[in-house]
């Protein structure tokens, strides 16, 4: 079957379509190599003249359909690259316009001379120019907003995946210095009983940018490594658990908690 495909008159077209698909998005050196392979194949002849169209109608139909599929596939592959190139070209044009507008010398106003005040026509012309500039600026902002909305709608899924991947990598590494400082500050303040409530965790999460699970894990590890309840506190806890239902008072190092 491979020999029949390679010997078919449409094989060069099929190979060319396949190479065009591989060239989409390929680095320049790879694209050049693929182009050279295509030229060598074309120079070496098609299927060697061994096959003819009409001898095997099923194979003819397969080759033709496969060529059409590869052509459509190449178009689908090229579309995102073409859109990206068009977007970058638009951005470059806008930046060039901004730079040229920023570097161009401002329009000189009429100096005080013997003709001291301009005519009312000049004032009207100046007002129209200002309105035109404002309109162009608003149009540019509207176009930027529409472009931003279009990009967010089209690539929001990719951005969400990238954000989730970034957060995963961030969770696996060390906590940011500012976040760790805030957690240590709370730890030092509540060292006698370093068990933050759910409200404390939410406040720390809002302050540090971490999620409650990260904060909970940090306190678990911190208590394992750097905290040990005193003997009196441990005894009070055991006594409170044993008689808590009868209203037993829990005595800690610093006093009494609850009736």
């Amino acid at each position: 079957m491979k020999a029949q495909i390679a010997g078919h008159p449409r094989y060069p077209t099929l190979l060319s379509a396949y190479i065009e698909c591989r060239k989409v998005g390929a680095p320049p050196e790879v694209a050049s190599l693929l182009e050279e392979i295509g030229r060598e194949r074309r120079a070496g002849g098609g299927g060697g003249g061994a096959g003819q169209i009409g001898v095997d109608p099923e194979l003819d139909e397969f080759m033709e359909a496969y060529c059409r599929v590869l052509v459509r596939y190449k178009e689908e592959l090229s579309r995102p690259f073409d859109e990206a190139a068009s977007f970058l070209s638009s951005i470059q044009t806008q930046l060039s316009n901004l730079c040229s507008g920023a570097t161009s010398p401002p329009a000189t106003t009429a100096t005080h001379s013997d003709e001291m005040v301009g005519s009312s026509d000049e004032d009207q012309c100046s007002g129209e120019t200002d309105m035109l500039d404002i309109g162009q600026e608003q149009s540019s902002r509207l176009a930027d907003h529409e472009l931003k909305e279009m990009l967010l709608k089209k690539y929001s899924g990719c951005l969400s995946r990238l954000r989730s991947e970034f957060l995963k990598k961030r969770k696996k590494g060390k906590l940011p210095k500012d976040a760790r400082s805030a957690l240590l500050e709370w730890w030092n303040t509540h060292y006698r009983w370093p068990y933050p409530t759910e409200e404390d965790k939410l406040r720390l999460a809002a302050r540090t940018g971490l999620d409650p699970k990260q904060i909970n894990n940090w306190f678990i590890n911190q208590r394992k490594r750097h905290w040990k309840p005193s003997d009196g506190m441990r005894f009070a806890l055991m006594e409170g658990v044993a008689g808590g239902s009868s209203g037993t008072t829990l005595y800690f190092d610093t006093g009494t908690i609850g009736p």
Side-chain angles (χ1 to χ4, degrees):
M1 180 60 69
K2 291 182 179 179
Q4 292 178 11
I5 292 174
H8 195 275
R10 287 199 176 97
Y11 180 73
T13 305
L14 180 66
L15 181 62
S16 177
Y18 173 76
I19 290 177
E20 289 299 319
C21 290
R22 295 300 300 267
K23 285 167 60 178
V24 175
E29 59 273 12
V30 177
S32 300
L33 179 60
L34 291 171
E35 184 67 28
E36 183 179 353
I37 293 174
R39 284 197 301 266
E40 291 177 355
R41 284 288 187 177
R42 287 191 292 270
Q52 293 181 357
I53 296 177
V55 176
D56 189 345
E58 186 177 355
L59 181 59
D60 296 342
E61 184 179 355
F62 168 77
M63 297 294 288
E64 185 177 355
Y66 202 0
C67 289
R68 288 198 304 267
V69 168
L70 287 179
V71 170
R72 288 198 300 268
Y73 184 51
K74 189 254 183 182
E75 293 174 354
E76 292 294 329
L77 288 176
S78 302
R79 188 171 301 149
F81 290 94
D82 295 340
E83 292 178 355
S86 176
F87 169 71
L88 293 176
S89 177
S90 174
I91 292 297
Q92 185 177 8
T93 302
Q94 294 182 27
L95 290 175
S96 299
N97 293 337
L98 289 174
C99 293
S100 62
T103 56
S104 60
T108 57
T109 57
T111 58
H112 293 284
S113 60
D114 295 339
E115 303 173 355
M116 297 177 59
V117 182
S119 64
S120 60
D121 293 338
E122 292 176 349
D123 294 339
Q124 183 178 0
C125 180
S126 176
E128 292 176 353
T129 303
D130 293 340
M131 291 298 294
L132 180 61
D133 292 340
I134 294 174
Q136 291 177 347
E137 183 178 355
Q138 291 178 348
S139 299
S140 177
R141 289 181 180 177
L142 180 61
D144 292 343
H145 179 72
E146 292 177 351
L147 179 61
K148 181 179 178 181
E149 291 294 329
M150 184 270 290
L151 291 174
L152 284 176
K153 184 182 295 183
K154 191 163 188 177
Y155 300 107
S156 59
C158 297
L159 293 175
S160 299
R161 287 194 295 271
L162 288 173
R163 183 175 183 274
S164 61
E165 290 296 329
F166 174 77
L167 290 177
K168 286 180 182 178
K169 292 181 180 179
R170 180 180 175 184
K171 291 176 183 178
K172 291 179 182 179
K174 293 183 178 180
L175 297 181
K177 184 177 180 181
D178 295 340
R180 191 169 182 273
S181 299
L183 295 176
L184 284 174
E185 180 182 347
W186 194 97
W187 171 272
N188 293 328
T189 306
H190 304 81
Y191 181 77
R192 284 185 173 274
W193 188 248
Y195 285 85
T197 63
E198 294 301 321
E199 294 181 356
D200 292 332
K201 293 176 185 178
L202 291 176
R203 282 194 292 268
L204 289 171
R207 180 179 175 186
T208 60
L210 306 175
D211 57 48
K213 184 177 180 181
Q214 288 177 285
I215 293 174
N216 190 54
N217 291 337
W218 186 87
F219 276 103
I220 290 174
N221 294 328
Q222 187 77 356
R223 285 192 296 267
K224 287 181 179 179
R225 297 169 185 166
H226 305 290
W227 185 73
K228 184 178 181 182
S230 62
D231 294 337
M233 182 181 296
R234 189 182 298 109
F235 175 76
L237 284 173
M238 294 174 62
E239 183 179 290
V241 171
S245 60
S246 60
T248 303
T249 302
L250 300 183
Y251 291 95
F252 291 89
D253 291 351
T254 56
T256 304
I257 298 181

